[in-house]
Structures are given as structure tokens and as C-alpha cells.
Amino acid sequence: MRHSYINFFNNKSEESGVIKSDIDFSSVAGLDEIKEELLEISDFLDKPEKYKNFGAKIPSGVLLYGPPGTGKTLIAKALAGQCKATFIYASGSEFIEKFVGIGASRIRALFEKARKKAPAIIFIDELDAIGVSRNTDNNSERDQTLNQFLIELDGFSDNSGVVVMGATNRIDMLDKALLRPGRFDRHIFVGNPSAITRREILKYHIKNKPIAKNFKIDSVVEKTNGLSGAHLANIVNESALLAIRKGKKTINNEDFDKAIIKTTAGLKNKSMVLSNKEKRIVSFHEAGHTLISFLLNGILPDKVTIVPYGVSLGFVLSSFGEDKMILTKNELEDKICILLAGRASEEIIFGEISTGAQNDILKANELAYSMVCDYGMSKYKNKIFPGDKNNFLKEDIEHEISNILDNAYEKAIGLLNENSNVLNLIAKTLYKKEDLNASDLEKIFHMALI
Ligand code: ADP
Ligand code: ZN
């Protein structure tokens, strides 16, 4: 009998269908934290009884999110190999059809197959294609598909030995229903690799290639900030082709330099690869956010990075306070202060400011505006100014907004100056390592404070 859903899907993607994964985690360079988190899942699949006996539910859905080419598919496939589970690959776009009901029936078939082949990992690439937020358009085929998908996810409470993994680079577009507990409730960010990870990925891909004796890997690492694992694999391949074309016996740095130029020239957003000067600015900028956020909240961010992602050149990822329903006036002022701390740090260190803070400034302005106009937190006490502000108070309102912003900025400058040794240490370490997690930061604070 033919596999019914190799039939179903192979018209759109060659990779679709049931695959016996022939790789394990040794094929994924770096990304140790992600591997560790996923190994727990491998244990669920391996010994479901252990969890059943404790009445513990295994996580049914794991969402890998981040830019393309960062190894999300690779990790999922390697995990399947690692725990000897069947790997079932599908792309979200395969479920989007013109005719109502077809997508839904494909989803049903997919899960049916997985249950039969358990232990199994279903990996759905481009999850956003099925999981895009409803209400954005009225598309009953898509709604049916998504509903069927939710039903299948909910049917997993019986420890069926199936884990669903999804990948997307648009987590913000996903329907909230998908992210609820019991569905895709584990979210793992897979970002562009830091310097250390880039080095490991490069090492992995040059492993079986003839490399010149005087090859300097660090020079390649330095020139590839902002590029993904897929870019790096491509660069290694290009440099090999260049060396072959020239009739050489080994690949050297010159070949790599050319391959980097070739690869980055084709990128839509060339600015993603930062120069060293830009890297210095972004390091101090992010260090500013991090330090002020720690000083005001006492909480270390989960992650700080200067590896570009999307339109942002660097960012601080903090789960703290994100889901708060109400904020006090003080908390709002602190938020504004943290937002402005990136620019404040640039001003202190470089004596000038940059466009890198554009998004922070926008958000800070919006918050200050809301404080005055929506929340009644200005000198007008509980008076709010909804709608059109083109009235005789306009200037006064703007003055109030400016006051809030100025005070927050001054506070940031003051705190950063008082703690300039920590600021410097964070920025320097960030420049070198490109990614810092909470425990790295803890060490830095510890070092700077003794
Ligand atoms: P995504 O699913 O995130 O778009 P893929 O998993 O398809 O990315 O990765 C594309 C290719 O990039 C991989 O097949 C591999 O060659 C390379 N790659 C990405 N990350 C790594 C890594 N951590 N180690 C080794 N190779 C990697
Ligand atoms: Zn910023």
C-alpha cells in the first residue's frame, strides 16, 4: 500500500511526508540550550510510561520561532533521530486550499498517520500559513483548517507518543488560540547565531573539506554577524567552489572573503551585517537597556543580543512584566526609562546619538502620550484627552509629554553614569560574545560589583 499522505502532499514539497531521520544532535552545531530543552521531550517520547504514572501531561506542542535558515527544521529532524521517532514533515502552506474542507481533511490524515507511526514528531514548517490570526480576513477554508488543527492538538491528552513541532518566523501573526496551554505552549526562540555559535557551525561545515593550514576561522566569524546557519553553510560551499574553480588544493581565507561578499550581496537587507563600529554602538545601546532594566526591576533579562533579527539590530528579551494587566504610573515611567536607556548609553559613551534608537523612541513617545491623554497621569490629574488633540490645550499637552520623556531620559543618564563600570563590562562582553543570557549577566554583575 502506498503511504496515503505522501500522495497527499508531495505535489507541493519534496520533503513532505514520513521520513526516517538519519541525523541526530551531532549534526546540529552549537545551540546547546535548545538541544537541552528538546532532550526533555525526547524522554517523553522514549518513556511515556514514566510520565503516565505520575499523571503528568507531556507538552504536546513545541513552537520554534525565529528568522529563516537558523536550523529549526534541522533541529526537529535531529530530535526525531535522537529519540528514534518517526519524523513527519509538512509545510503549513500545503493545507491552504481553495476548496472548503480539504485543508481540514489533510490535517486529520496527518495526525492519523502520526498516531499510527508513534512515537512520532510532526514538524509543521511555516505554521503561520495555517495558524494566522483569525478575523484578519474572512476565509472559511482557512478557519476550518485551523479549527481541525486545534481539535487534533487537543486530542493529545492521552500521551499518544506524538509531539507536534511548529516553525514560524512570524510568531506575532499566530492565532492566540494556538499558543494556549495544552497546544503550542512551549516557545523556543531560534535566533541568528552568535559569534561562538557561528564558529561552531563553520567548523561543522568545513569538517570534511580541505582547508588551508593558515586559515583563520575568526576572520570569517567576525565578518558574518547577522547571518544565519544556512548562510554560513552556503558560504562554506561557495568558497569550496571558488577554490575548485581556481584549481587549488585547499580553501583559504581569500575564498571565504569572496564567498561572504557573494552571499551578502544577494541579501535584501545588507545592513544586517554590522560593521565593527556599528557593533560597538549596538553593544552599548543594548547594555544600556539591560542595566537600567536590572536597576529598576531587579530582574535580569532572559537574553541580550547584538545579532540582528528582523529590523532590529539588537534586542533585550525579557519575559518579566510582559503579561501584566495593569501598570502603575511608576512602572510606566520605568518602562519609558528602560526604552530610552539605549540612546542614553550611546550619548554617554560616544557623545552622539544614532538612528538605532528609532523604535525605542517611538514606543517611549506612545507610552508618554498615553499617560497624558488616555490614563489621566499628567498635571491635569484625572483629565484625559481622547481623540483629536487639536484644541487650545495642545501645546500644554505636548509639554506634559516632553516632561515625562525628559525626566525618564535624565534618570537613565544619571543611573548609567553612576554604574558606568557595569555598563562597560556588559557592553564589552556583549561585543565579544554577541549573545548573553541571564546567567552570563549574573556573572558580569557579580564581577563588576566586587
Ligand atoms: P530553518 O528551518 O530555520 O529555516 P533549516 O533547518 O532549514 O532552517 O537550516 C538550513 C540549513 O542551514 C541546514 O540544513 C544546515 O545546513 C544549516 N544550518 C543551520 N543551522 C545549523 C546548525 N546549528 N548547525 C549546522 N548547520 C546548520
Ligand atoms: Zn533599543
Side-chain angles (χ1 to χ4, degrees):
M1 202 184 83
R2 294 173 68 187
H3 285 297
S4 57
Y5 84 88
I6 291 186
N7 280 349
F8 260 143
F9 302 132
N10 67 359
N11 56 338
K12 291 215 173 155
S13 166
E14 275 183 21
E15 280 191 81
S16 286
V18 182
I19 298 168
K20 203 176 163 328
S21 174
D22 49 0
I23 57 168
D24 60 17
F25 277 165
S26 64
S27 299
V28 185
L31 314 183
D32 293 340
E33 281 168 36
I34 297 173
K35 285 182 196 164
E36 218 165 276
E37 195 163 349
L38 291 177
L39 274 179
E40 213 188 53
I41 291 163
S42 139
D43 199 49
F44 288 135
L45 287 173
D46 215 22
K47 309 181 190 86
E49 296 307 318
K50 185 164 123 191
Y51 295 88
K52 223 177 195 167
N53 293 343
F54 276 82
K57 264 195 183 179
I58 69 169
S60 47
V62 181
L63 184 65
L64 303 174
Y65 68 102
T70 47
K72 296 182 287 299
T73 313
L74 183 72
I75 298 167
K77 193 171 172 197
L79 176 65
Q82 191 79 22
C83 51
K84 299 188 181 58
T86 314
F87 184 64
I88 300 177
Y89 177 98
S91 170
S93 57
E94 294 165 25
F95 301 96
I96 299 309
E97 288 293 336
K98 263 219 237 43
F99 301 106
V100 177
I102 294 188
S105 76
R106 285 187 179 172
I107 294 272
R108 227 175 291 127
L110 176 72
F111 280 79
E112 188 52 47
K113 183 66 119 193
R115 268 187 274 264
K116 279 191 194 139
K117 298 255 176 195
I121 291 176
I122 300 180
F123 178 75
I124 303 179
D125 204 2
E126 294 177 56
L127 184 65
D128 38 292
I130 5 177
V132 73
S133 189
R134 285 168 291 193
N135 312 325
T136 48
D137 57 357
N138 213 338
N139 183 327
S140 59
E141 155 64 2
R142 197 190 327 237
D143 289 356
Q144 268 205 22
T145 308
L146 177 56
N147 284 336
Q148 186 61 42
F149 190 50
L150 295 174
I151 290 169
E152 299 291 350
L153 285 175
D154 292 343
F156 273 144
S157 49
D158 58 342
N159 291 357
S160 54
V162 179
V163 166
V164 189
M165 296 179 78
T168 180
N169 47 20
R170 293 304 310 268
I171 192 172
D172 54 313
M173 287 194 26
L174 291 182
D175 199 292
K176 294 285 166 289
L178 260 178
L179 305 177
R180 281 202 198 114
R183 292 172 180 166
F184 283 98
D185 46 10
R186 287 246 184 143
H187 305 165
I188 302 178
F189 176 66
V190 191
N192 282 325
S194 69
I196 296 165
T197 312
R198 287 203 300 281
R199 175 186 248 277
E200 293 188 38
I201 295 175
L202 283 166
K203 265 168 110 180
Y204 174 83
H205 285 280
I206 59 178
K207 210 169 41 194
N208 298 318
K209 296 196 166 54
I211 295 290
K213 275 212 177 69
N214 62 356
F215 173 67
K216 290 189 183 61
I217 195 166
D218 283 336
S219 149
V220 182
V221 170
E222 225 175 70
K223 290 169 187 160
T224 48
N225 165 291
L227 298 186
S228 68
H231 287 131
L232 296 173
N234 186 40
I235 285 169
V236 173
N237 192 49
E238 279 292 336
S239 56
L241 292 177
L242 283 169
I244 294 168
R245 210 171 299 151
K246 284 195 225 144
K248 298 198 309 193
K249 289 211 163 58
T250 57
I251 314 168
N252 62 15
N253 280 97
E254 201 190 314
D255 301 316
F256 270 90
D257 287 347
K258 286 196 179 131
I260 292 170
I261 291 169
K262 194 167 169 201
T263 303
T264 52
L267 291 185
K268 258 194 237 134
N269 197 347
K270 285 178 205 156
S271 63
M272 288 337 290
V273 185
L274 300 182
S275 70
N276 286 347
K277 181 172 174 229
E278 286 168 327
K279 255 175 82 177
R280 254 172 70 74
I281 295 175
V282 182
S283 298
F284 272 98
H285 178 106
E286 300 307 330
H289 287 309
T290 309
L291 178 54
I292 295 299
S293 149
F294 177 73
L295 292 174
L296 297 180
N297 293 332
I299 302 256
L300 291 171
D302 301 331
K303 183 180 161 104
V304 191
T305 178
I306 57 163
V307 181
Y309 173 44
V311 288
S312 76
L313 296 180
F315 60 92
V316 178
L317 197 75
S318 179
S319 48
F320 174 72
E322 284 304 307
D323 47 3
K324 275 197 172 172
M325 296 297 277
I326 52 169
L327 289 164
T328 66
K329 186 173 174 224
N330 266 331
E331 285 169 337
L332 284 167
E333 284 165 352
D334 284 356
K335 259 188 142 165
I336 296 174
C337 187
I338 294 167
L339 281 166
L340 297 180
R343 167 163 282 186
S345 174
E346 290 179 44
E347 182 170 350
I348 290 173
I349 302 297
F350 303 101
E352 61 173 348
I353 54 178
S354 76
T355 56
Q358 184 182 8
N359 197 36
D360 299 335
I361 304 294
L362 178 71
K363 282 197 201 144
N365 270 266
E366 283 171 357
L367 275 179
Y369 180 96
S370 286
M371 284 177 72
V372 176
C373 298
D374 305 325
Y375 306 144
M377 292 178 178
S378 68
K379 72 173 181 191
Y380 297 103
K381 298 259 172 77
N382 298 319
K383 175 96 186 89
I384 58 167
F385 306 92
D388 186 12
K389 271 82 199 172
N390 264 335
N391 52 38
F392 67 100
L393 284 174
K394 189 168 186 284
E395 237 173 80
D396 232 17
I397 291 171
E398 306 231 309
H399 186 70
E400 283 291 287
I401 295 173
S402 291
N403 258 345
I404 294 175
L405 293 170
D406 290 349
N407 288 339
Y409 192 69
E410 262 167 48
K411 186 172 175 181
I413 294 266
L415 284 170
L416 291 175
N417 272 325
E418 276 168 39
N419 297 279
S420 59
N421 59 331
V422 197
L423 180 71
N424 272 291
L425 200 55
I426 299 174
K428 285 200 177 121
T429 322
L430 195 51
Y431 182 87
K432 206 166 88 199
K433 289 183 67 179
E434 298 185 4
D435 260 357
L436 300 176
N437 59 23
S439 86
D440 296 328
L441 287 166
E442 211 177 296
K443 279 184 211 133
I444 293 173
F445 277 98
H446 193 71
M447 246 158 65
L449 297 174
I450 49 173

